[in-house]
Amino acid sequence: MDNSLVFETYDGKPHEECGVFGMYGKGEVQPAYAAYSGLLALQHRGQESCGIAVNDCGVISYHKDMGLVSEVFNPKILNKLEGQICVGHVRYSTAGGSVRNNAQPLVMRYVKGTIAIAHNGNLTNAYEIKQELERRGAMFQTTIDSEVIAFLIARERVVTHSVEEAVMRTMEQISGSYSLLVMSPRKLIAARDPNGFRPLCMGKLGESIVFASETCALDACGADFVRDVEPGEIIVVDENGVRSIQDFCQGTPSPCIFEYIYFARTDSVIDGVSVYEARKEAGRLLARQHPVEADLVVGVPESGVDAAIGFSEESGIPYEKGIVKNNYIGRTFIKPTQQERRRSVRLKLNPLVSTVQGKRIVLLDDSIVRGTTCDRIVRMLKEAGAKEVHLRISSPPFRWPCYYGTDIPSKEELIACKCTIEEIGKISGADSIGFLAVESLPQMLHKEGCRYCDACFTGNYPAPIPKCMLEGKEGRTCMPIEK
Amino acid sequence: MDNSLVFETYDGKPHEECGVFGMYGKGEVQPAYAAYSGLLALQHRGQESCGIAVNDCGVISYHKDMGLVSEVFNPKILNKLEGQICVGHVRYSTAGGSVRNNAQPLVMRYVKGTIAIAHNGNLTNAYEIKQELERRGAMFQTTIDSEVIAFLIARERVVTHSVEEAVMRTMEQISGSYSLLVMSPRKLIAARDPNGFRPLCMGKLGESIVFASETCALDACGADFVRDVEPGEIIVVDENGVRSIQDFCQGTPSPCIFEYIYFARTDSVIDGVSVYEARKEAGRLLARQHPVEADLVVGVPESGVDAAIGFSEESGIPYEKGIVKNNYIGRTFIKPTQQERRRSVRLKLNPLVSTVQGKRIVLLDDSIVRGTTCDRIVRMLKEAGAKEVHLRISSPPFRWPCYYGTDIPSKEELIACKCTIEEIGKISGADSIGFLAVESLPQMLHKEGCRYCDACFTGNYPAPIPKCMLEGKEGRTCMPIEK
Amino acid sequence: MDNSLVFETYDGKPHEECGVFGMYGKGEVQPAYAAYSGLLALQHRGQESCGIAVNDCGVISYHKDMGLVSEVFNPKILNKLEGQICVGHVRYSTAGGSVRNNAQPLVMRYVKGTIAIAHNGNLTNAYEIKQELERRGAMFQTTIDSEVIAFLIARERVVTHSVEEAVMRTMEQISGSYSLLVMSPRKLIAARDPNGFRPLCMGKLGESIVFASETCALDACGADFVRDVEPGEIIVVDENGVRSIQDFCQGTPSPCIFEYIYFARTDSVIDGVSVYEARKEAGRLLARQHPVEADLVVGVPESGVDAAIGFSEESGIPYEKGIVKNNYIGRTFIKPTQQERRRSVRLKLNPLVSTVQGKRIVLLDDSIVRGTTCDRIVRMLKEAGAKEVHLRISSPPFRWPCYYGTDIPSKEELIACKCTIEEIGKISGADSIGFLAVESLPQMLHKEGCRYCDACFTGNYPAPIPKCMLEGKEGRTCMPIEK
Amino acid sequence: MDNSLVFETYDGKPHEECGVFGMYGKGEVQPAYAAYSGLLALQHRGQESCGIAVNDCGVISYHKDMGLVSEVFNPKILNKLEGQICVGHVRYSTAGGSVRNNAQPLVMRYVKGTIAIAHNGNLTNAYEIKQELERRGAMFQTTIDSEVIAFLIARERVVTHSVEEAVMRTMEQISGSYSLLVMSPRKLIAARDPNGFRPLCMGKLGESIVFASETCALDACGADFVRDVEPGEIIVVDENGVRSIQDFCQGTPSPCIFEYIYFARTDSVIDGVSVYEARKEAGRLLARQHPVEADLVVGVPESGVDAAIGFSEESGIPYEKGIVKNNYIGRTFIKPTQQERRRSVRLKLNPLVSTVQGKRIVLLDDSIVRGTTCDRIVRMLKEAGAKEVHLRISSPPFRWPCYYGTDIPSKEELIACKCTIEEIGKISGADSIGFLAVESLPQMLHKEGCRYCDACFTGNYPAPIPKCMLEGKEGRTCMPIEK
């Protein structure tokens, strides 16, 4: 790669690590096709690799590779993936390296046949468990937590009577976040960590049972939503039907609030709350908390649009498109010389000049993490003739790194750790700035008494973070060289 | 390909054939990089193939292939494309076949060196000219009109003194639509047919001159808009500067109205009119022409959203997102068995259930051509719980095929040729239906006295259509078999 | 794949499974480049996948994929593979499945860092060990024996003081054939099973130490041959130099005789015997054992040519090319209708008509296993006008399957199990047939008292074959679906 | 590509440009499959690109791309290539550039439908004709002579009654070498230039008529040889059968002698002479012209082996393999640092040390052109222990460039233009050197009075070479940038 090129893909936002999908089929729909549809709907949760494993009477076959779902799968491959049960996965990751070997589902042979695992989340004690397992002679071929989980399940399966018992004994040992799908020769098991950090829901497609990270994946494959998998719950599906194990449901759940703010798809409903409604509500709250006189409300596409509609509704200031996003920009690049030009390049986002010219604009964005993009957007609107730009952020200042399954910007990279809100406003070039108050988060979810994880805003981590993780010592291992 | 799979890419809408970009460089920006940015912004005009040709002191090199701009080009290739002048092209086509050989720019050696041609449009007399040229011994290696144009330019160049004269004599012979860029060893020439069917604009990037199908491509590469190329105008750029030839500007222009309705990007400004404002205005007009009591206004993404915002503004009914589009669906497919299920599959579009449930909805779409998609969207909203769905179409009924550079659905495929508006409403399942009145089109453009081509709505073709074209006889020739 | 096509790649011969290469570098030559050259020279031992792993101060990186060495590697990839130690592998396999996951070297993280393993051979007790390991909770991600070896080394490494001790304790547990290269963070270890079934030799390239399956790989990378690794020997190379462990050298070695007959490259020298000279000697012996009056001696390319030269030398009958091989035939296919034609298709082999016409020919081939090719070659020569064709086979009849690292035709497929020599001769269409006598094998090697494995001819298996293997029960596990 | 790498593919020999295959089918064999087999057999004549065009009742479809026949075609593609007539082509070229656009067959639409052309050879007046055609307004999209031929045929077809008449009038205008296959909507036409520079033969497969550059392609597809196409002959095949036009057969033929020496496959028979027998005869002649006392005769594989067998026969000195070639080396590369090492790298060729050690060797090679390889081979044998190496070249010194369809080394690159035979011997490091006498060439072909082109040895060019060609002015045109 030519060093004189700057890749423009990185938008400064934290990334969700993964999406999972599983199906225990009892009907005419081939599970691999359902998984294909479901993973397409979960693609926003991970664009680096994807895979589907199917179980045909105990024989597991799978296909996984680097790339988007639409690139990795085609009808020929899907037709080969015959089987009654399936698990699928989409993955984005910096931790663990973005290499082919780390693609999921992870398929492994163990004492009771073959299992396939799809995992969304981040174990906080993976490193310790790995070291302990290695001390006993275990070997690891990937750098992903899922391999640790698989090893524990295999070890426990030897001394228990069923794979669900092995999953239970594994859950006793692992900490952190996990929404987990395990496909054994005859069962499909879903498990969600006691905090319920990452979402996981259950649906029904005819007689078949479906699990997915988000409800939009149920919609995509034609399944009806049944209910969320509860934090700490294990759901076992086999030929006898569906069975719930709730031994780990005692704790206080704390689902990730950032799913509502940024990660999840706007048409998903997580733990009973519509993502779209939550985002709109954040906009309404902002209109009350940080009112401003203006002519238009504009959202930064895609994630800022919902809050903009809410802000407009509450304030009565008309909603306008204002900025257009180019959907064909994937991994693209521009020459720095172009960037430094008098007029900024409007490759990914372009303002509607005739709309914004001479106008006072309220600009809604979902969050400011590193602070590298919002100033460019504000400047772009001003260059397009906007008289004023008032920045409204539909989440509180992002001040603490996340250890529960999103990529981890260190505190040094978080602009809200280095600057006051006023300074951020000044850097952004906006005429005024306003963040959503931390106290309003419950109201955003329309659930006054609810509990959730807002550690990224408050530093109140609901599950312990081991020292090695805080120090970033978790080691890299072997790395394939990809072409 | 398995026949049991139905590709879901086709949305029943007519397709624009192409987008063009050209640059005569006099500065630090490498034309190939500007073309890359510009073509990314024009990608909506053609997703099947693309290419860039550059002229380095008379030596032309080029790269073109099937695929998206982001797939066909990378920094290594762009760095090889050194040169002071460039032309680029994106292409979608059914006519001519979607094969590698037909990718543009077309690069040919002729008596005065090498020329490269990028062409958006459709000659109505290409078949006759081809036959006449063949009778004199000409041979054709592609099935695209651009090759005919190139042959004419070459023939005329022998008997004229400059390439612009040859372009002029070529324009005397060709009919139909063309927005044309011709790169000769020392010049870049832009030409637009006397009707001005397809858009073409000029910009400036530092000292460099840029041409593009739409202004959004100027924005993308950092260029400032200068003016539109006038219908019938030829603009010649060489080391002496920019020169306009207006010998063909006498006629009555008739730019395509469908560019505003559907083809163009919403942030482009064509012939002085903002596409976004035109679409919003169509929504406002609909609100007056077909008012309805409702709770929400929703647009079918992407093209229906702008009119929905306008309808909401005029009617006072709140605008809501209502439907979410999956941007990762490219060439995807589903099994028909899934489609026939009780609940429709929501792969590409998914309703926001909590928003639409129990609500009376005004649904805005840009046009109904074949009528194969709107019934599915109406049904989807009803299944999601919408109490009423009132369909409003921001264009008149589409009743006549287009011969000026978009793909041509025959009259048999046009639903408005077979059904009355009431019948279309009934088929769609909507509670009411309303189309924009043909008479309102000037108002949509905010230009009372303006002329445009609305043949697809009225059958008033501003340029003659030869008999062979009406009968669909224009012959296919040789076709490579692509892997 | 169209079923009406017959792939012509399979020549009915058993296949060697693998080739290995390793280097402990102390000089200017980058080990990855030496491995690249070495693997190119070993390509005949495996054409399905290949890989190279390098160790850069304890950090292991690797690249492996399906395909030929020349397809999988390029300078960009090799340049990234920096490191002082390397192991490489080429693989052909039916057992284990020809899938990407099974490509070697196998790279795994264990208690003492990361190890990479390249293995040629076949463990006869892999299935039992795997079952025992799984009973203790081990998991397997591939279906290759090398993963079993890696697990054992890891388990033993925990309770020993060095990786070579762990290799020793592993060798106590595994049976069958293995020529093994193990790269630990600071060492390169070569080990050969006590029978010495598969070849393994050591060379020197400047100060660097090189190991390879055959001497032709030493030649290819510019290394000088030092000596063979002895059956049962372990050689440890680290910064202190080269150390030999001979605890397992007590047994009676029995290197595979078929390496000389067919597997090895003709320019290699294995255990002190030139492969070319052995093949020529087999031809000379045949000339004495089965003399015949003829005009020409012709060899079936490539493997029959050496014996033909020997037969010619001994008999005085002139050697002629007679048959030409098309080196561009890789994975090609022909339509059966073509095959059944009056005249046989001469795609891969073609006779020199002017040479064979009217002549009495002695035709030398290396072996008859399934008997599917020799009749076609005899017929081809007769059609080309040969008056007589006398078939001489430079090995005894192949009557017993191999369990030591070549693919295993069952007894039902071996023509010599079903037919007498006379019947084989009749089936082949030859005017006479003669096999090398089993008793002559020592003479072929110019070593009267030497021991080797000739189980495929005699059924005298020098190492025990477990029942599960004889019954073909060794189970398949998970299988990726390759595009 | 890393500049520090030296590609080892170039062997210093001139390259044949192309091979052609055509079939007029009347039977069960699908022509595309016959072409596939035939092109596989002609692959040695061109490895850069290949293609097949078929004619299905006037509709021509084709597939062509860069790569080997086995890479470019698969059953899926072949099955799509249905039709009764076909032409195929393999291509190697420096002239014209090795780019996808230049792949053949060339398929063009003209006044009488579509024609496809496959051409082996080099027009000496292509540049003049092109200039003349361009002056009349013609345009060229490729840089190959075949496009010139197609243009002439198209131009003449307008004023004649049949395509064969157009071919005749074209032949009146073109000079140089051409073995040409033209597929018109209803005919297959074969034409060979009056000198007969390049070979072309006719065969029969059932009722179908086949044409190919060499007889080995007839063998490969199962066809029987009928006869050579005569120099100057045009053969027309259509539904009425086969018709010969001999108006251009008056001249004195001069087929290329180098086809026998190096280009053609050893199992082909060209113009009645077996290539293998000619090569063996050259070896026999050398044994008489340059006798030497020695222990072994060895040929440089592949091309030197046949002469070595002949030399051995004549001299009585035993033939031995001596050198082994690695058939898996395609486009491979080595680091120069490796090359400069004390011991030369034996990647492509490796000596049989036990055979050559201590021996006096006669080494046969087919030709010395640039002189860059023979010294390395002599040195390699000496390093392997050879006591003496006597170099015998089975052709005269190569002193003149070729303008008739092989790539053209300029005189500066020809070692025999710069050095005496003694000097070449000294440079090569051989103990003695001997070239075949120019006077022996007729004897090599077993045809005393025969005429052939030996311009590369004598400078007696049988057809005029225009000045622009001698000066190397023939211009490059547009060049696509390949990924």
Side-chain angles (χ1 to χ4, degrees), chain C residues 161-236:
Chain C
H161 291 95
S162 67
V163 63
E164 53 266 38
E165 274 180 81
V167 169
M168 288 174 74
R169 291 179 71 143
T170 297
M171 282 176 69
E172 283 165 9
Q173 299 166 62
I174 57 177
S175 310
S177 67
Y178 50 89
S179 283
L180 190 68
L181 296 178
V182 179
M183 176 170 74
S184 78
R186 285 199 305 270
K187 293 171 184 171
L188 176 63
I189 295 174
R192 194 174 173 195
D193 66 76
N195 291 91
F197 284 116
R198 300 288 136 228
L200 191 60
C201 64
M202 182 164 77
K204 221 169 173 179
L205 176 52
E207 293 304 302
S208 305
I209 298 297
V210 178
F211 296 99
S213 288
E214 296 184 31
T215 58
C216 65
L218 303 183
D219 299 338
C221 71
D224 289 305
F225 174 76
V226 173
R227 66 175 178 88
D228 291 284
V229 177
E230 293 302 315
E233 188 180 12
I234 298 169
I235 299 183
V236 185

Side-chain angles (χ1 to χ4, degrees), chain C residues 1-2 4-5 7 28-30 33-34 36-38 40-44 47 68 70-71 73-76 78-79 204-207 215-216 218-225 265-269 274 276-277 280 284 302 305-306 309 313 318-322 324-335 337-338 341-355, chain D residues 1-2 4-5 7 28-30 33-34 36-38 40-44 47 68 70-71 73-76 78-79 204-207 215-216 218-225 265-269 274 276-277 280 284 302 305-306 309 313 318-322 324-335 337-338 341-355:
Chain C
M1 187 56 59
D2 191 311
S4 67
L5 295 165
F7 271 83
E28 49 182 303
V29 176
Q30 191 186 330
Y33 274 90
Y36 174 74
S37 298
L40 276 169
L42 297 172
Q43 188 78 80
H44 61 286
Q47 291 107 50
L68 297 174
S70 59
E71 295 163 355
F73 291 96
N74 60 43
K76 201 175 145 196
L78 286 174
N79 285 339
K204 221 169 173 179
L205 176 52
E207 293 304 302
T215 58
C216 65
L218 303 183
D219 299 338
C221 71
D224 289 305
F225 174 76
R265 227 171 79 170
T266 197
D267 50 338
S268 285
V269 178
S274 154
Y276 177 68
E277 296 298 340
K280 263 187 64 183
R284 280 190 216 102
E302 299 286 335
V305 166
D306 301 352
I309 294 173
E313 249 183 60
Y319 167 76
E320 279 284 358
K321 219 181 211 176
V324 174
K325 187 181 163 195
N326 184 347
N327 284 325
Y328 295 103
I329 306 277
R331 291 191 64 81
T332 52
F333 43 86
I334 54 167
K335 277 211 147 173
T337 49
Q338 285 181 296
R341 293 198 61 75
R342 185 183 48 81
R343 229 191 98 189
S344 62
V345 174
R346 300 158 168 185
L347 200 51
K348 191 173 178 181
L349 298 177
N350 199 25
L352 288 166
V353 177
S354 61
T355 308
Chain D
M1 186 58 61
D2 191 314
S4 67
L5 296 162
F7 272 83
E28 48 183 301
V29 176
Q30 191 186 329
Y33 274 89
Y36 174 74
S37 299
L40 276 168
L42 296 173
Q43 187 79 80
H44 62 286
Q47 291 107 49
L68 296 175
S70 60
E71 294 163 355
F73 291 96
N74 60 44
K76 200 175 146 198
L78 286 174
N79 284 339
K204 218 167 176 180
L205 176 53
E207 294 304 302
T215 59
C216 64
L218 303 183
D219 299 338
C221 71
D224 290 305
F225 174 76
R265 227 172 79 170
T266 196
D267 50 337
S268 286
V269 178
S274 155
Y276 177 68
E277 296 299 340
K280 265 185 64 183
R284 280 191 216 102
E302 301 287 333
V305 166
D306 302 351
I309 294 173
E313 248 182 61
Y319 167 76
E320 280 284 359
K321 220 181 211 176
V324 174
K325 186 182 162 193
N326 185 347
N327 284 324
Y328 296 103
I329 304 277
R331 292 191 63 80
T332 52
F333 43 87
I334 55 167
K335 278 209 150 173
T337 48
Q338 286 180 294
R341 293 195 62 73
R342 185 184 46 82
R343 229 191 97 189
S344 63
V345 174
R346 301 158 169 185
L347 200 51
K348 190 172 180 182
L349 298 176
N350 200 23
L352 288 166
V353 177
S354 61
T355 307

